[in-house]
């Protein structure tokens, strides 16, 4: 199953150095039956994009934690790792697209990596600080999330990830 794993730049760098991606708590997002039911229209490609968007929002949450811990050197860019894995458990208690995977994901299973461009950094930094408030219904915070989500993630193949991290 194709899953979308929320990540940050340091997690991407670790993938390059170890050859394996370590998802936080095994959390991932995918085109699940429940996600399909939640949309009255849309083909698989559109629903996969919805799952990836959920992973991108989860990446904002991870960035919010890193920035809160004083990790100011972390680039303010959402990162989503797309991979094909077999052992996937549905997590409808969390979200329509939420799934859990077991263990790390080897580089061979990674299909692509999606990362914000440098132009998105200001909006992403603002959104990372507001994501919790947005989850609680704060409309001003939701506006900041929307500003970040207006930036499309750039696509990179697995063979380009090392160069991407090096150029940072």
């Amino acid at each position: 199953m194709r899953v979308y794993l929320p990540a940050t730049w340091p997690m991407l760098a670790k993938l390059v150095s170890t050859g394996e991606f370590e998802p936080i708590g095994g959390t991932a997002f995918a085109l699940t039956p429940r996600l399909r039911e939640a949309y009255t229209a849309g083909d698989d490609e559109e629903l996969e994009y919805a799952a990836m968007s959920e992973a991108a929002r989860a990446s904002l949450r991870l960035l919010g934690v890193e920035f809160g811990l004083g990790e100011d050197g972390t680039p303010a860019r959402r990162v989503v790792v797309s991979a094909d894995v077999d052992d996937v458990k549905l997590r409808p208690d969390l979200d329509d697209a939420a799934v859990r995977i077991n263990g790390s994901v080897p580089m061979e299973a990674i299909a692509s990596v999606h990362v914000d461009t440098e132009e998105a950094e200001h909006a992403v930094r603002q959104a990372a600080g507001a994501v919790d408030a947005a989850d609680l219904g704060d409309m001003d915070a939701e506006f900041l999330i929307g500003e970040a989500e207006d930036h499309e993630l750039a696509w990179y193949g697995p063979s380009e990830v090392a160069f991407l991290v090096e150029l940072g």
Side-chain angles (χ1 to χ4, degrees), residues 15-81:
L15 164 65
V16 170
S17 69
T18 66
E20 293 190 340
F21 181 80
E22 300 282 341
I24 305 283
T27 300
F29 299 86
L31 172 50
T32 64
R34 190 161 169 189
L35 180 65
R36 190 178 302 281
E37 287 175 13
Y39 284 81
T40 58
D43 60 17
D44 284 357
E45 187 175 324
E46 291 169 314
L47 296 175
E48 291 274 350
Y49 184 81
M52 186 177 77
S53 295
E54 289 297 319
R57 186 171 277 218
S59 176
L60 283 176
R61 291 182 184 93
L62 295 175
L63 285 169
V65 170
E66 286 188 7
F67 296 153
L69 295 174
E71 298 294 331
D72 293 330
T74 298
R77 297 182 187 186
R78 296 169 297 163
V79 177
V80 176
V81 175

Side-chain angles (χ1 to χ4, degrees), residues 70 72 110-111 131 157:
D72 293 330
I110 293 175
V131 70

Side-chain angles (χ1 to χ4, degrees), residues 50-114:
M52 186 177 77
S53 295
E54 289 297 319
R57 186 171 277 218
S59 176
L60 283 176
R61 291 182 184 93
L62 295 175
L63 285 169
V65 170
E66 286 188 7
F67 296 153
L69 295 174
E71 298 294 331
D72 293 330
T74 298
R77 297 182 187 186
R78 296 169 297 163
V79 177
V80 176
V81 175
S82 171
D84 296 313
V85 297
D86 294 325
D87 190 12
V88 178
K89 293 185 174 128
L90 300 178
R91 291 295 312 264
D93 56 315
L94 294 179
D95 186 83
D96 291 340
V99 296
R100 180 175 311 273
I101 65 170
N102 288 320
S104 61
V105 178
M107 183 64 93
E108 303 82 52
I110 293 175
S112 58
V113 174
H114 310 267

